[in-house]
């Protein structure tokens, strides 16, 4: 779809929406609404078909690296700080290193002041090691003269003695040499070489480098720029007959003798290279970095693992939609089918928007889609429950529908706005895959409003006007009577305090082990076994434990695999088994390679993915997550203060704190580690769990505004009981998709589904037994006349509406 067609369709849809909202003529609203729905759905499907969806690395396979530029060294040896210019220079150089032919889909973006995010979809697993090397190697090329042969041995001994005593020689230093290879390819260690500390000239004087093969094997040819040519010739003229060391990143690659006085700017590097080493070195020398880089975070997913996640996502979506359909049809019969039609249109709009704006669908994004299914139906539950009340009050179906949509709108808008606040904050502070969840959630919230408030209403207009439907039949699950719920509040508050203590006690007892790799750093290897294949933990032990090599002089770091533990989860939908191995940060790539070498070729393992996070990024993620939670809670409280009286805002906020603070400890108690995905879940809970509280408070205010007699306690009890049915029904509609995720989702989806499930249950509970009792307690303790405040607010609103109407009338006369 080209830009002109997109603009034309968008402008048409906006015009039709304005007409639909602005018109009071029933037939016009019905006709325009029908055209709006049809054009929206058709354009969404067309966009999906022509543009297609963009999948994240976790679904299509590939790698994502977060690298940090470290301070370098200036020519005089002083630290060279990282600047915005050096970050941009590094981005350009890395792109040339990783994509020299410009034929790969690589994205490089700055993150903060010193970091770069590198995304490489479609990278093959066997290419990862080479990519790591190209990213991290600075390729600082230096040409230094060696110590003269006369007195060489004496100088070497002096340097070794000085090195042992910690004394620094101002003129010379010992540098390691690249090992040579014998005819069998075995590496032969070479002695350290005594070289000058000051370089004669450097890599910045190299114009270009290239690899070639000749009688001596693979060689890297260098061509100097004009300044480099002059420096090279001047050096050769003075030092003819002496050795000049060619050094890359502090290692002597070769040390040829200067046999000529002039070289015309041409030089060569030999060093028993194989083809890959020669080409890699030439690429690096063509693109040297001014600052060294460290990989702080890495995520690599094989294409097979990504396809497995897509297949799981399809099954989860189908199962969630089917379960939601069964529930809605059982409770609301024909009206439930209307809600499902609205849900289908909602999903079309969501996918169409993601395709149109090129948003990336990630694994957490799939979880967001599943959550959207539940949240979209929630709005319909609010409308249908209000519709049932209006019908029982004696109104016709047409009149009841108008009243139901009008009275349910404020609760639907408030609940979606609070969730949207959390989604926006999550989008702002998150990165990578979790941002995909935030995008999906934001679009899903907007599309669900369209599905619930426009699509279903237009369908009802048609079926009612054509007398296809004259009465709504529903299944009642809660008897229509008033319970003294507030009298039970003290017992439930005590129970909440006990559970909260257990939650916090779990976090304190587990300490840092409560935190996943996102917060404390570390590595994770996820393995998908082919359907019908099994591997015991002992099979993995047999592969991993031999990797624990001792520390030696040749391998000063050894292969410190450290501790690791294995988790597994079967996928009933595909018959595959997901296995997650948690380990140390630097161990994950080693373990991943060993597993693929052992079981990929025989078909036992269908795909793998690895994720590593450095301690620095983990600490920053923890701080940003805490800030995000605090900001979300404050923003929601401010919004509630704007929409409700202070007592209501206070009660809702305390209930919200109750829900959010309980969840982390409970998910740890159930065996999970806290991760960035949990932050997304908690922010979603912060927006979503308050929905039922808003519905209850809306009804309390409505009862007060209607002038219902009795005490505040009686009014609140009656309002809670009148909304009890929808409170208990909105929970299952959101829980049904989450239950599907719990049983059919992969480990990443499970990390999202469990806290959301707990949060929805807590939100339903707290809206009844925590929020309302706290409002009543505050009103009594402070002597606040809540009824008077609500009525005063109603009077002020009526005055404002009258003033607006008068202004509009005056404008019309003019």
């Amino acid at each position: 779809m080209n830009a002109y067609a997109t603009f034309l369709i968008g402008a048409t849809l906006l015009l039709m929406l304005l007409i639909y909202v602005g018109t009071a003529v029933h037939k016009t609203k019905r006709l325009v609404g029908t055209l709006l729905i049809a054009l929206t759905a058709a354009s969404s499907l067309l966009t999906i078909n022509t543009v297609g969806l963009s999948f994240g690395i976790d679904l299509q396979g590939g790698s994502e690296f977060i690298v940090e530029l470290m301070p370098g060294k200036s020519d005089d040896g002083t630290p060279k700080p990282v600047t915005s210019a050096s970050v941009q220079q590094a981005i350009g150089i890395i792109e040339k290193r990783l994509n020299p032919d410009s034929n790969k889909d690589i994205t490089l973006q700055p993150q903060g002041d010193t970091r770069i995010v590198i995304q490489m979809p479609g990278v093959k697993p066997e290419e990862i090691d080479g990519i790591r090397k190209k990213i991290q190697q600075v390729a600082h090329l230096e040409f230094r003269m060696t110590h003269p042969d006369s007195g060489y041995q004496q100088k070497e001994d002096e340097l070794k003695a000085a090195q042992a005593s910690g004394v620094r020689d101002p003129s010379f230093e010992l540098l390691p040499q690249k090992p040579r290879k014998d005819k069998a390819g075995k590496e032969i260690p070479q002695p350290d070489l005594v070289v000058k500390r000051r370089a004669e000239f450097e890599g910045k004087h190299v114009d270009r480098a290239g690899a070639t093969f000749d009688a001596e094997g693979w060689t890297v040819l260098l061509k100097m720029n004009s300044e480099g040519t002059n420096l090279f010739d001047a050096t050769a003229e003075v030092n003819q007959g002496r050795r000049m060391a060619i050094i890359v990143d502090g290692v002597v690659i070769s040390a040829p003798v200067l046999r000529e006085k002039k070289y015309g700017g041409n030089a060569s590097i030999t060093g028993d290279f194989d083809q890959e080493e020669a080409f890699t070195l030439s690429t690096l020398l063509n693109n040297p970095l001014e600052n060294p880089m460290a990989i702080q975070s890495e995520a690599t997913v094989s294409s097979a693992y990504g396809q497995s996640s897509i297949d799981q996502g399809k099954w989860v979506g189908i199962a969630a939609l089917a379960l939601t359909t069964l529930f809605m049809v059982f409770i609301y019969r024909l009206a439930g089918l209307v809600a499902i039609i609205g849900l289908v249109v909602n999903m079309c709009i969501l996918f169409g928007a993601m395709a149109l704006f090129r948003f990336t669908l990630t694994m957490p994004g799939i979880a967001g889609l599943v959550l959207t299914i539940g949240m979209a139906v929630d709005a319909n539950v609010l409308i249908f429950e209000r519709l049932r009340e209006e019908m029982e009050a004696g109104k016709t179906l047409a009149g009841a529908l108008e009243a139901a949509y009008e009275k349910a709108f404020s609760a639907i808008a408030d609940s979606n706005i609070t969730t949207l606040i959390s989604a926006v904050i999550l989008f702002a502070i998150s990165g990578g895959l979790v941002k995909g969840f935030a995008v999906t959630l934001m679009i899903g919230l907007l599309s669900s409003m369209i599905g619930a408030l426009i699509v279903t209403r237009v369908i009802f207009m048609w079926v009612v006007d054509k007398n296809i439907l004259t009465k709504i039949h529903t299944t009642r699950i809660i008897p229509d009577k008033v319970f003294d719920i507030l009298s039970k509040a003290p017992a439930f508050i005590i129970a909440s305090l006990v559970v909260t203590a257990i939650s916090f006690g779990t976090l304190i007892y587990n300490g840092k082990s409560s935190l996943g790799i996102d917060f404390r750093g570390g590595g994770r290897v996820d393995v998908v076994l082919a359907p019908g294949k099994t591997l015991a933990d002992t099979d993995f032990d047999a592969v991993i434990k031999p990797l624990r090599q001792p520390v030696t002089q040749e391998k000063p770091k050894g292969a410190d695999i450290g501790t690791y533990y294995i988790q597994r989860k079967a996928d009933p939908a595909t018959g595959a088994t997901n296995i997650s191995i948690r380990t140390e940060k630097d161990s994950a790539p080693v373990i991943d390679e060993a597993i693929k070498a052992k079981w990929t070729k025989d078909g036992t393992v269908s795909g793998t993915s690895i994720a590593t996070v450095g301690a620095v990024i983990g600490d920053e993620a923890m701080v940003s997550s805490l800030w995000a939670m605090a900001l979300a809670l404050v923003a929601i409280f401010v919004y509630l203060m704007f929409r409700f009286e202070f007592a209501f805002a206070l009660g809702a906020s305390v209930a919200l704190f109750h829900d959010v603070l309980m969840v982390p400890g409970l998910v740890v108690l159930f065996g999970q580690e806290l991760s960035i995905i949990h932050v997304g879940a908690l922010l979603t809970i912060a927006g979503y769990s308050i929905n039922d509280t808003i519905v209850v408070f809306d009804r309390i205010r409505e009862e007060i505004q209607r002038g219902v007699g009795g005490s505040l306690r009686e009014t609140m009890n009656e309002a809670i009981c009148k909304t009890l049915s929808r409170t208990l029904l909105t929970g299952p509609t959101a829980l049904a998709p989450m239950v599907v995720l719990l049983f059919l989702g992969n480990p990443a989806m499970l990390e999202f589904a469990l806290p959301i499930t707990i949060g929805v249950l807590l939100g339903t509970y707290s809206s009844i037994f925590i929020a309302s009792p706290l409002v009543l307690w505050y009103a009594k303790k402070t002597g606040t006349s809540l009824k008077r405040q609500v009525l005063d607010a109603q009077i002020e609103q009526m005055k404002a509406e009258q003033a607006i109407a008068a202004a509009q009338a005056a404008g019309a006369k003019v």
Side-chain angles (χ1 to χ4, degrees):
M1 188 181 295
N2 61 47
Y4 295 107
T6 301
F7 173 78
L8 182 61
I9 293 174
T12 303
L13 290 175
L14 180 60
L15 178 61
M16 294 173 70
L17 179 62
L18 293 174
I19 295 173
Y20 175 84
V21 173
T23 185
V25 180
H26 182 80
K27 286 187 177 180
T28 303
K29 184 181 284 286
R30 186 184 69 187
L31 178 61
V32 172
T34 303
L35 294 174
L36 176 63
I37 295 167
L39 183 58
T40 302
S43 60
S44 297
L45 292 173
L46 179 62
T47 304
I48 296 169
N49 186 52
T50 54
V51 178
L53 292 173
S54 299
F55 292 109
I57 286 173
D58 58 339
L59 295 180
Q60 66 170 314
S63 292
E64 178 182 275
F65 296 88
I66 297 179
V67 299
E68 184 164 12
L69 270 69
M70 315 302 289
K73 285 187 178 180
S74 302
D75 294 338
D76 58 0
T78 58
K80 187 174 185 179
V82 179
T83 63
S84 58
S86 57
V87 171
Q88 292 300 324
Q89 182 250 9
I91 289 176
I93 287 172
I94 294 172
E95 186 166 13
K96 290 177 182 177
R97 287 185 178 186
L98 301 179
N99 193 18
D101 300 323
S102 301
N103 57 0
K104 295 180 180 178
D105 183 17
I106 297 179
T107 302
L108 296 98
Q109 294 179 326
Q111 184 185 76
D113 297 328
T114 61
R115 291 185 186 142
I116 301 170
V117 179
I118 306 168
Q119 293 181 324
M120 302 181 65
V123 174
K124 297 178 181 178
E126 58 267 22
E127 298 175 327
I128 298 302
D129 283 339
I131 290 171
R132 289 193 197 101
K133 193 175 296 182
K134 289 178 181 178
I135 289 173
Q136 289 186 291
Q137 190 165 352
V138 177
H140 182 207
L141 175 65
E142 297 174 291
F143 297 84
R144 302 196 213 171
M145 298 308 301
T146 64
H147 191 279
D149 291 338
S150 58
Y152 181 90
Q153 187 60 50
Q154 180 183 352
K155 191 63 178 179
E156 182 179 3
D157 294 339
E158 290 176 0
L159 288 174
K160 287 181 178 179
Q163 197 174 53
S165 60
V167 178
R168 182 179 184 272
D169 187 285
S171 302
F172 291 92
E173 66 176 327
L174 281 169
L175 289 183
Q177 292 194 74
K178 182 179 181 291
R180 298 291 181 256
K181 295 178 182 178
D182 60 17
K183 293 181 179 180
K186 183 180 179 180
E187 290 188 351
I188 304 173
Q190 300 295 307
D192 294 347
L193 195 63
V194 180
V195 299
K196 281 187 174 182
R197 285 191 178 275
R198 184 181 62 83
E200 307 299 331
F201 48 100
E202 297 180 310
K204 63 183 179 182
H205 299 117
V206 175
D207 183 52
R208 60 183 181 272
T212 185
F213 186 81
D214 55 26
E216 296 184 4
W218 283 99
T219 303
V220 177
L221 301 178
L222 303 178
K223 178 63 177 176
M224 305 295 174
N225 57 25
S226 57
E227 183 182 1
T229 299
N230 294 332
L231 288 172
F232 192 5
D233 288 346
T235 301
E237 186 172 1
V238 176
N239 296 284
Q240 185 180 14
R242 290 178 55 189
R243 298 173 70 195
M244 183 173 69
I246 302 176
I247 303 164
V248 177
D249 292 339
V251 177
V252 178
I253 304 300
S254 62
V257 176
L258 296 175
R259 302 189 184 279
E260 307 292 338
K261 287 188 176 182
K262 291 186 180 295
Y263 284 86
N266 297 305
S268 63
I269 305 175
T270 58
D272 289 341
F273 298 121
D274 59 27
Q275 181 179 359
E276 183 180 354
E277 288 176 328
F279 274 99
T280 298
L281 180 58
S282 65
T283 301
L284 296 177
L285 294 178
N286 278 321
N287 305 285
L289 285 167
E290 294 181 0
N291 296 82
M293 287 194 299
I295 296 176
Q296 297 290 2
S297 174
E298 175 186 349
T300 300
V301 179
S302 69
S303 57
Y305 187 90
Q307 185 59 49
S308 173
S309 299
I310 293 175
D311 294 338
Q312 281 185 320
K314 290 177 181 177
W315 280 106
V316 165
I318 292 171
L321 185 59
L323 194 58
T324 303
T325 301
L326 289 174
F327 179 83
M328 291 299 291
V329 170
F330 173 73
I331 298 294
Y332 297 111
R333 317 290 171 81
L334 185 58
L337 284 178
V338 173
I340 297 303
I341 295 173
L343 176 59
V344 171
V345 175
N346 167 24
M347 299 306 288
C348 287
I349 296 172
L350 196 158
F351 282 115
M354 293 195 70
L356 178 63
F357 296 107
R358 301 283 185 171
F359 292 132
T360 301
L361 180 63
T362 63
M363 199 183 307
I366 292 177
L369 289 173
V370 175
L371 179 63
T372 299
I373 293 175
M375 296 182 69
V377 174
D378 273 2
N380 291 114
V381 171
L382 294 176
I383 294 169
F384 294 166
E385 287 297 307
R386 178 67 78 163
L387 176 61
R388 177 162 55 191
E389 291 180 17
E390 299 296 332
M391 291 284 290
E392 290 174 352
K395 291 185 179 180
T396 62
L397 180 57
L401 281 169
E402 289 295 325
Y405 277 95
E406 181 181 346
K407 292 181 178 179
F409 176 78
S410 63
I412 294 172
D414 285 334
S415 59
N416 278 274
I417 289 172
T418 53
T419 308
L420 187 62
I421 290 172
S422 297
V424 169
I425 292 173
L426 178 61
F427 178 84
I429 65 100
S430 66
L433 303 180
V434 181
K435 192 181 288 286
F437 165 73
V439 169
T440 306
L441 186 59
M442 286 190 289
I443 298 175
L445 288 169
L446 298 176
S447 61
S448 65
M449 291 277 285
I450 296 173
L453 297 177
I454 297 180
V455 177
T456 58
R457 189 168 189 176
V458 170
I459 295 174
F460 276 124
M461 286 180 182
W462 281 104
V463 295
V464 171
D465 292 349
K466 302 301 180 182
N467 291 320
I468 299 173
L469 188 65
T470 57
K471 190 175 182 181
I472 296 292
H473 297 279
T474 61
T475 302
R476 180 180 289 277
I477 61 171
I478 301 295
D480 188 13
K481 59 183 296 187
V482 177
F483 304 96
D484 189 8
I485 290 176
L486 292 176
S487 65
K488 311 296 182 185
F492 284 104
I493 290 175
I494 292 173
S496 290
L497 292 174
V498 171
V499 176
T500 303
I502 293 172
S503 174
F504 277 88
T506 302
L507 293 176
I508 295 171
Y509 177 78
N510 285 276
K512 282 193 173 182
S513 61
S514 300
L515 306 177
I517 66 171
D518 293 343
F519 296 132
R520 63 173 175 172
R524 185 183 69 243
V525 181
D526 292 316
V527 181
V528 177
L529 301 185
K533 300 290 185 178
T534 58
L535 288 174
D537 289 357
T538 53
D539 295 321
F540 287 98
D541 292 338
V543 171
I544 297 173
K545 287 182 178 179
L547 300 173
R548 289 174 170 162
Q549 301 171 3
V551 175
T552 63
Q553 186 174 359
E554 291 78 16
K555 294 184 177 180
K557 291 187 177 180
D560 185 16
I561 298 302
T563 58
Y564 65 91
Y565 61 94
I566 300 170
Q567 295 176 318
R568 58 181 65 234
K569 184 178 186 296
D571 180 9
T574 62
T577 301
N578 296 290
I579 296 172
S580 182
I581 304 171
R582 301 296 178 97
T583 182
E584 304 299 327
K585 174 178 177 287
D586 296 331
S587 306
V590 180
I591 293 175
D592 180 61
E593 290 298 325
I595 289 173
K596 288 188 293 190
K598 177 72 174 177
W599 289 305
T600 300
K601 289 183 179 179
D602 65 4
T604 302
V605 171
S606 62
T608 65
S609 74
I610 65 171
T612 63
V613 178
V616 174
I617 285 189
D619 291 341
E620 291 179 358
M622 173 66 78
V623 173
S624 64
S625 298
L626 293 174
W627 274 109
M629 288 302 307
L631 185 59
L633 294 174
V634 170
I636 291 174
F637 177 73
V638 170
Y639 178 77
L640 292 173
M641 281 285 295
F642 171 74
R643 284 286 292 119
F644 295 91
E645 289 70 29
F646 179 78
F648 288 119
L650 180 64
S653 298
V654 173
L656 180 58
F657 271 90
H658 161 276
D659 301 341
V660 171
L661 294 178
M662 268 195 192
V663 172
L666 293 178
V667 297
V668 171
L669 188 63
F670 284 112
Q672 290 192 351
E673 294 178 339
L674 299 179
S675 66
I676 290 292
I677 291 179
H678 286 100
V679 176
L682 288 174
L683 287 172
T684 305
I685 292 168
Y688 181 75
S689 69
I690 207 169
N691 291 5
D692 288 330
T693 305
I694 288 175
V695 171
V696 174
F697 286 179
D698 262 347
R699 177 50 68 95
I700 293 173
R701 295 173 78 196
E702 184 180 332
E703 293 294 316
I704 293 173
Q705 290 168 355
R706 284 173 53 202
V708 176
S711 66
L712 178 61
R713 181 191 189 91
E714 292 171 343
T715 302
M716 293 180 73
N717 261 325
E718 184 173 352
I720 292 171
C721 292
K722 283 188 175 181
T723 57
L724 192 59
S725 177
R726 75 189 66 176
T727 299
L728 297 179
L729 284 174
T730 52
T733 57
L735 283 177
M738 292 301 102
V739 170
V740 173
L741 279 180
L742 283 173
F743 287 98
L744 298 182
N746 61 22
M749 293 181 183
L750 182 62
E751 284 186 351
F752 175 84
L754 181 60
I756 288 291
T757 300
I758 296 173
V760 170
L761 292 173
L762 288 174
T764 303
Y765 159 80
S766 65
S767 67
I768 301 172
F769 298 109
I770 303 296
S772 296
L774 284 174
V775 173
L776 182 61
W777 172 83
Y778 176 83
K780 286 183 176 181
K781 282 292 182 182
T782 59
T784 302
S785 175
L786 198 57
K787 287 189 174 183
R788 184 71 267 161
Q789 287 184 351
V790 171
L791 293 174
D792 287 345
Q794 183 185 25
I795 292 171
E796 291 298 324
Q797 183 179 357
M798 291 174 62
K799 288 181 178 178
E801 291 175 352
Q802 290 172 357
I804 293 173
Q808 290 175 341
K813 289 180 180 180
V814 175

